[in-house]
């Protein structure tokens, strides 16, 4: 890099980016290794789900909502169901509320561990990635024991849940809690105590507290910037009112807040431990009773056909708050309109801020840090318009760059 | 498949390029689960690669959005022959819940030729491994055909 | 306009907020409803949602007034083609950081006549609204005054911008724009 040259290069990242409903093509304008500006263009995975729902009744939409995102599928269902139940004034039995909270917390555990593992992979810490993925299989087993599926559980229905928590499943949950209390600390130590891992995450992709407010950041991204915001605390839903959740922020543990990738990492891994406590409370305190408001599907459908109004469901998913709004019209079987706002939709707005003045090598990590599931950059095209040459940077080479930086830091 | 035949083929490991064309991510995390310690398909030398030019197999998930159609075609063309395309998940095979939309061009076989379908929403890692096993055989067959046709090794 | 990028730590009671809204909007207020969201054991009110229907003229005045109470956290916009009007709903919340159960969900519904589909942009006041405004522009054809970036957000690059996917009238997608996969 010759000093004094101030050419900016434009690097597209994407569009193949294993995201949620909103995977992103990102354009980075770079001066040398420094990112000057970032432009984000989502849309490659826009399937028109909200439009499809106009031709389906609320029960059918459940299975569509589940497939908005395969990682936080239950989060989407519960948010959708709460919106429908709000519009149709349906009361959910208390046992069903506890089971919903149980599955939500299990989902949070698997999502956070997945994210933490992938973040390690991004900066070349493959052993931690494999350790994380190995640990994650335990919660997948429990989800399978509870619901019959590893992903897209299909347990939610209007007015309750479709599967009860059997004593056997409860035992599996307890065993899982024990397992993680024993094993998860190892993962936490190998990453948070590792000087290289810390160096790769500290002061990278900073989002200040003020910007987090202005750009409406959510979930661990907002909490990583020090905001005490958590819907499980500020507007409790389902069983969370009884469980007592306090928002987890880095300043309570480390004394200060940086708002960087490390803080977001820290918040997520600590939330896994918080979730274990919540799971224990749920399994201990789950009351007896029915699990649906009305087990006969035709009756549910006729109640929904008679309902009229707009409902709003908003819950704290693994990545932030998930908002669903549903309009039901009297006399119509189908959903009139439906709006979904998955958390990345809001968090991606603050992406350009995090990229500013960072190195290209950190770009994959920053993209990952808001947890758009697995970051899967297909390839990158570096083009120098003035020299008229272009070079294809594969994802492999991008990750290689990221790892080279780790090796540099290690002094190897 | 005869065991001896399987053993002849197995050492030729598959390199896989994964393209998400609009999937919900459910299949994609199951693919990650397939390559990580529990299912560990990497022990057979099979791994995900970062560029289609290095791949033998193209793994496609999702119902193909309009935004991705052209990109999927380009990725397919970059994979060198002989190649096998595996579709993972129901929505890539038939559209499934996304059966009607203004922004979809799928299913995948509407865009590029598909050799193996792995069904499920999402399929279990075991099913993905089975799909990969079928791809090994197909790839071998295609290689032999190319050799017969006179292509150099 | 006061725009403090921080949240208040103490909430006001919903009645106080409602009085404030009535005062600010006056004639422009069409409807207001406070919904209590009950859950838990025993079943009790865990949080509240406020649903407000108002005229477009009172919108900016109301947003500025709410911003004085707390930095309005914006969730999303939803909208629907209701025949002569397009109804735009803004889903926001107040008192996000003000303690357990104190968050107040606020929905602002504004009918916009189809022959004058113009709406003031909030992106100067709340930068987080940018994506939603771009989405509503491409899906429903609402023109946001003051929105800098009007590139397509979700639709593919070669999309015919005359077609507004969520509209139910002649500007919506025609049968030939829709593909049946199976």
């Amino acid at each position: 890099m010759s000093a004094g040259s101030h050419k900016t290069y434009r690097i597209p990242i994407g569009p193949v980016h294993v995201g949620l409903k909103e995977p992103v093509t990102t354009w980075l304008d770079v001066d040398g290794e420094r990112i000057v500006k970032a432009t984000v263009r989502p849309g490659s995975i826009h399937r028109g789900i909200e439009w499809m729902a106009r031709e389906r009744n609320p029960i059918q939409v459940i299975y569509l909502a589940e497939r908005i995102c395969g990682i936080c599928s239950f989060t989407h269902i519960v948010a959708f169901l709460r919106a429908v139940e709000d519009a149709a004034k349906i009361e959910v039995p208390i046992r069903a509320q506890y089971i919903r909270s149980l599955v939500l917390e299990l989902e949070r555990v698997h999502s956070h561990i997945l994210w933490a593992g992938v973040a390690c992979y991004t900066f070349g810490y493959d052993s931690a990635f494999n350790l994380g993925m190995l640990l994650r299989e335990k919660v997948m087993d429990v989800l399978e024991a509870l619901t019959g599926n590893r992903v897209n559980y299909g347990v939610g229905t209007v007015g309750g849940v479709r599967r009860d928590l059997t004593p056997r499943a409860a035992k599996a949950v307890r065993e899982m809690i024990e397992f993680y209390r024993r094993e998860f600390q190892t993962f936490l130590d190998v990453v948070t105590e590792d000087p290289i891992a810390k160096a790769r995450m500290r002061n990278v992709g900073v989002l200040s507290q003020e910007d987090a407010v202005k750009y409406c950041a959510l979930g661990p991204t907002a909490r990583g910037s020090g905001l005490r915001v958590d819907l499980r605390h500020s507007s409790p839903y389902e069983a969370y009112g009884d469980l007592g959740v306090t928002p987890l922020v880095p300043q309570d543990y480390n004394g200060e807040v940086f708002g960087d990738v490390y803080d977001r990492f820290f918040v997520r891994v600590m939330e896994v431990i918080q979730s274990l406590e919540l799971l224990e409370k749920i399994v201990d305190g789950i009351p007896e009773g029915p699990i649906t408001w009305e087990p006969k599907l035709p009756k549910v459908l006729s109640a929904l056909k008679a309902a009229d109004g707009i409902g709003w469901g908003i819950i704290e998913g693994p990545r932030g708050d998930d908002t669903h709004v549903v309009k039901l019209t009297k006399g119509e079987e189908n959903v009139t309109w439906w709006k979904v706002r998955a958390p990345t939709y809001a968090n991606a707005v603050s992406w350009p801020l995090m990229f500013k003045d960072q190195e290209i090598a950190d770009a994959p990590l920053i993209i990952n840090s808001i947890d758009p599931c697995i970051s899967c950059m297909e390839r990158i095209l570096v083009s120098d318009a003035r020299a008229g040459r272009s070079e294809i940077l594969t994802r492999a080479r991008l990750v290689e760059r990221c790892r080279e930086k780790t090796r540099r830091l290690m002094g190897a | 498949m005869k065991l001896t035949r399987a053993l002849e083929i197995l050492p030729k490991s598959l390199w896989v390029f994964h393209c998400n064309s609009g999937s919900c991510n459910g299949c994609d995390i199951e693919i990650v689960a397939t390559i990580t310690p529990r299912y560990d398909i990497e022990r057979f030398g099979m791994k995900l690669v970062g560029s289609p030019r290095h791949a033998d197999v193209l793994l496609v998930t999702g119902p193909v959005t309009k935004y991705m159609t052209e990109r999927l075609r380009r990725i397919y063309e970059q994979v060198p022959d002989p190649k096998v395309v595996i579709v993972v998940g129901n929505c890539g095979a038939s559209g499934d819940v996304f059966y009607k939309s203004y922004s979809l061009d799928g299913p995948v076989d509407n865009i590029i030729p598909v050799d193996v379908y792995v069904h499920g929403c999402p399929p279990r890692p075991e099913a993905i491994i089975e799909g990969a096993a079928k791809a090994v055989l197909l790839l071998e067959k295609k290689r032999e055909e190319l050799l017969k046709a006179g292509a150099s090794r | 306009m006061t725009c403090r990028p921080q949240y208040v730590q103490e909430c006001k009671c919903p009645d106080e907020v409602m009085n404030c809204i009535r005062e600010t909007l006056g004639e422009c207020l069409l409807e207001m409803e406070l919904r209590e969201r009950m859950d838990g054991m025993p079943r009790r009110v865990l949080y509240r949602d406020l649903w407000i229907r108002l005229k477009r003229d009172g919108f900016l005045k109301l947003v500025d007034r709410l911003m004085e109470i707390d930095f309005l956290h914006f969730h999303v916009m939803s909208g629907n083609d209701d025949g002569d009007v397009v109804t735009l709903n803004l889903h926001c919340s107040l008192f996000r950081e003000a303690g357990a159960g104190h968050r107040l969900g606020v929905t602002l519904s504004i009918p916009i006549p189809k022959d004058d589909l113009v709406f003031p942009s909030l992106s100067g006041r709340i930068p987080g609204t940018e994506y939603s405004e771009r989405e509503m522009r491409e899906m429903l054809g609402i023109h946001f005054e003051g929105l800098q970036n009007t590139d397509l957000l979700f639709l593919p690059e070669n999309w015919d911008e005359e077609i507004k996917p969520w509209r139910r009238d002649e500007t919506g997608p025609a049968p030939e724009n829709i593909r049946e996969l199976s």
Side-chain angles (χ1 to χ4, degrees):
Chain A
M1 296 290 136
S2 63
S5 85
H6 283 287
K7 263 183 221 162
T8 57
Y9 293 73
R10 178 157 257 228
I11 302 181
I13 296 184
V16 177
H17 186 295
V18 185
L20 322 165
K21 187 169 158 280
E22 51 289 305
V24 186
T25 309
T26 310
W27 298 81
L28 301 177
D29 289 321
V30 295
D31 177 5
E33 289 279 319
R34 198 173 59 90
I35 299 167
V36 184
K37 195 184 138 203
T39 319
V40 179
R41 165 69 157 94
S44 35
I45 297 190
H46 176 75
R47 289 158 290 184
I49 286 184
E50 288 144 328
W51 180 87
M52 290 175 198
R54 291 179 180 183
E55 291 183 0
R56 303 181 195 193
N57 69 39
I59 297 289
Q60 291 168 322
V61 173
I62 294 173
Y63 302 95
L64 194 56
E66 197 162 39
R67 281 151 185 87
I68 290 169
C69 167
I71 294 182
C72 42
S73 54
F74 197 68
T75 306
H76 280 292
I77 301 193
V78 174
F80 170 72
L81 292 174
R82 286 185 60 79
V84 171
E85 285 151 9
D86 183 28
K89 310 269 178 286
I90 291 172
E91 273 185 34
V92 181
I94 182 72
R95 188 173 172 86
Q97 292 180 22
Y98 270 71
I99 294 173
R100 281 183 184 181
S101 306
L102 178 80
V103 182
L104 283 173
E105 286 310 312
L106 289 171
E107 193 166 76
R108 194 182 316 277
V109 170
H110 100 67
S111 173
H112 280 355
I113 298 179
L114 175 73
W115 178 83
V118 171
C120 293
Y121 166 80
T122 321
F123 55 80
Y125 201 173
D126 275 12
S127 22
F129 164 65
N130 281 314
L131 182 62
M133 291 303 290
L134 189 62
L135 288 173
R136 176 174 169 270
E137 287 297 329
K138 184 75 185 172
V139 62
M140 301 306 278
D141 285 347
V142 172
L143 280 166
E144 196 178 342
L146 191 66
T147 67
N149 295 319
R150 281 166 58 89
V151 181
N152 293 353
Y153 326 109
V155 284
T157 190
V158 174
V161 288
R162 292 176 59 228
R163 272 176 189 259
D164 204 351
L165 178 72
T166 58
R168 235 175 117 187
K171 193 166 160 255
V173 175
R174 279 184 212 281
E175 273 172 17
M176 184 206 80
I177 296 168
E178 285 306 307
F179 173 83
Y180 280 127
R181 292 213 166 125
R182 217 168 43 234
E183 306 287 335
F184 193 67
Q185 195 61 37
T186 326
F187 178 75
L188 196 63
D189 290 346
V190 296
V191 184
T192 52
E193 303 292 316
D194 186 273
I196 302 291
K198 201 162 180 174
R200 286 306 310 273
M201 294 193 282
R202 190 49 101 198
N203 288 321
V204 170
V206 174
L207 182 70
S208 72
Q209 197 164 330
E210 283 190 4
D211 283 337
V213 172
K214 264 167 64 183
Y215 285 81
C216 305
L218 310 168
T221 310
R223 291 195 284 280
S225 294
L227 292 173
R228 285 172 204 277
V229 289
D230 190 328
L231 288 172
R232 293 175 294 171
H233 172 74
S234 64
S235 53
Y237 49 91
E238 309 298 351
Y240 290 108
D242 306 342
L243 300 172
V245 185
T246 41
L248 205 151
V249 284
Q251 62 263 41
D252 290 352
Y253 293 83
N254 304 332
E256 52 186 337
V257 55
F258 293 81
D260 53 11
V261 177
Y262 183 86
D263 277 353
R264 294 196 271 279
F265 185 94
F266 183 81
V267 165
R268 287 200 179 90
V269 287
M270 293 312 281
E271 278 184 8
V272 172
I273 295 165
Q274 185 188 35
S275 285
L276 296 180
E277 270 168 40
L278 295 175
L279 283 167
E280 200 167 40
K281 278 189 197 169
I282 293 168
V283 179
D284 286 343
I286 186 165
E288 292 298 323
I291 56 164
T292 49
W293 158 78
E294 171 56 65
K296 292 196 180 70
L297 213 52
K299 277 194 184 172
V300 176
L301 284 172
S302 65
L304 291 171
K305 196 175 169 182
D308 194 88
I310 307 179
W312 185 7
I314 179 163
I315 69 168
E316 185 78 23
R319 294 167 187 74
D321 58 50
D322 183 17
T323 304
H324 282 232
V325 191
V326 173
K327 160 83 175 170
L328 300 176
T329 312
K330 196 177 164 109
E332 272 181 36
E333 275 176 21
N334 295 340
V335 166
T336 313
W337 57 262
W338 173 37
K339 177 79 198 118
V340 183
R341 202 290 318 270
T344 305
Y345 184 116
N347 283 336
V349 185
S350 50
W351 242 338
L353 298 169
M354 297 180 196
F355 276 120
K356 197 132 181 19
D357 292 331
Q358 302 293 319
E359 286 182 34
I360 313 178
D362 291 327
L365 191 58
I366 297 170
I367 291 183
N368 252 327
S369 74
I370 67 159
D371 191 3
C373 300
I374 310 150
S375 131
C376 172
M377 282 149 286
E378 176 216 6
R379 65 204 186 106
I380 279 184
L381 182 77
V382 185
S383 64
D384 180 353
R386 291 183 210 178
R389 78 191 154 83
S390 71
E391 177 196 355
I392 305 267
L393 261 187
T394 61
R395 167 171 166 259
R397 278 192 55 200
L398 188 75
V399 172
E400 190 49 41
R401 273 205 183 187
C402 192
R403 290 175 181 177
E404 259 168 39
K405 189 175 172 188
T406 299
R407 283 197 286 272
R408 246 184 7 247
L409 283 168
M410 287 165 83
Chain B
M1 177 170 58
K2 281 182 190 148
L3 186 65
T4 44
R5 180 83 187 114
L7 289 173
E8 271 171 39
I9 293 166
L10 256 178
K12 296 183 177 62
S13 53
L14 290 184
W15 279 16
V16 180
F17 181 77
H18 168 219
C19 171
N20 175 349
S21 72
S23 123
C24 73
N25 229 0
C27 298
D28 311 75
I29 47 167
E30 289 300 74
I31 291 166
V32 174
T34 312
I35 59 164
T36 47
R38 166 74 70 88
Y39 297 96
D40 200 10
I41 202 166
E42 281 193 357
R43 70 201 138 126
F44 299 122
M46 181 176 306
K47 64 172 197 168
L48 289 181
V49 290
S51 163
R53 288 163 203 267
H54 299 161
D56 307 302
V57 172
L58 177 61
L59 206 65
V60 189
T61 55
V64 194
T65 57
K66 284 193 170 144
Y67 191 94
M68 293 301 297
T69 309
E70 226 12 74
R71 285 154 174 130
L72 179 63
R73 254 188 219 122
R74 265 161 55 195
I75 291 169
Y76 174 76
E77 278 157 14
Q78 285 177 44
V79 180
D81 279 329
K83 58 188 159 194
V84 169
V85 177
I86 308 179
V87 166
V88 173
N90 282 349
C91 58
S94 68
D96 202 22
V97 289
F98 312 118
Y99 54 78
K100 190 176 168 192
S101 171
Y102 58 84
S103 68
L104 295 180
D105 271 344
V108 177
D109 53 14
N110 190 38
I111 318 288
I112 54 173
V114 177
D115 301 291
V116 180
Y117 296 91
V118 180
H119 286 282
C121 191
R124 294 182 57 87
E126 289 92 332
I128 299 175
I129 294 172
E130 199 204 355
K134 284 180 182 164
V136 175
L137 291 178
L138 271 172
L139 197 66
E140 206 51 24
K141 215 166 111 195
K142 285 193 179 185
R143 195 175 69 94
E144 272 164 18
E145 275 165 20
L146 278 176
L147 278 173
K148 261 184 213 153
S152 64
R153 248 169 201 272
Chain C
M1 185 191 72
T2 51
C3 175
R4 298 148 299 142
Q6 60 176 27
Y7 295 124
V8 292
Q9 303 294 315
E10 275 179 26
C11 71
K12 289 187 164 62
C13 73
D15 285 339
E16 204 175 326
V17 177
M18 283 165 82
N19 282 335
C20 176
I21 290 168
R22 266 186 216 109
E23 231 168 70
T24 315
L25 284 179
E27 284 276 284
C28 291
L29 180 68
L30 299 173
E31 231 180 296
M32 182 149 61
E33 182 199 351
L34 185 70
R35 256 188 234 174
E36 296 183 326
R37 303 296 296 265
M38 319 238 301
D39 270 313
M41 182 176 59
R43 210 175 140 78
R44 61 196 184 279
V45 177
L46 291 181
Y47 70 98
R48 293 170 181 84
D49 282 338
L50 194 55
W51 296 76
I52 305 156
R53 223 176 129 73
L54 67 151
K55 289 185 193 158
R56 180 170 57 184
D57 298 338
F59 174 71
L60 278 184
K61 211 164 45 173
L62 179 65
V63 170
D64 286 341
R65 183 70 191 92
L66 291 175
M67 290 283 263
E68 283 168 22
I69 298 174
D70 187 9
F71 193 96
L72 197 63
H73 173 74
F74 170 80
H75 293 284
V76 74
M77 282 180 196
S78 61
N80 187 42
D81 179 351
D82 287 327
D84 294 337
V85 293
V86 171
T87 310
L88 185 70
N89 309 304
L90 283 91
H91 307 281
C92 312
S93 52
L94 287 171
F95 314 126
R96 205 180 167 214
E97 212 184 358
H102 288 153
R103 175 186 156 272
L104 181 69
V106 181
T107 298
L108 308 175
S109 299
I110 306 105
I112 313 172
K114 265 193 187 163
D115 49 16
D116 181 29
L117 268 179
V118 181
F119 200 73
S121 167
L122 277 185
S123 52
R125 292 170 168 81
I126 310 169
T129 59
E130 187 201 311
Y131 271 24
S132 276
E133 290 180 355
R134 282 166 67 186
E135 189 189 13
M136 289 301 134
R137 194 191 77 83
E138 67 187 19
M139 298 297 179
L140 287 165
I142 300 170
H143 174 73
F144 285 89
E145 272 179 331
L147 179 66
Q148 305 281 324
N149 188 347
T150 55
D151 291 349
L152 288 177
L153 188 70
F154 290 123
L155 298 173
E157 301 105 321
N158 52 0
W159 185 263
D160 176 5
E161 285 205 47
E162 294 298 304
I163 303 169
K164 305 291 178 192
W166 291 0
R167 291 280 282 268
R168 293 167 201 264
D169 53 16
E170 67 288 348
T171 55
E176 63 265 25
N177 302 124
I178 291 160
R179 181 174 158 72
E180 296 202 24
L181 277 75
S182 57

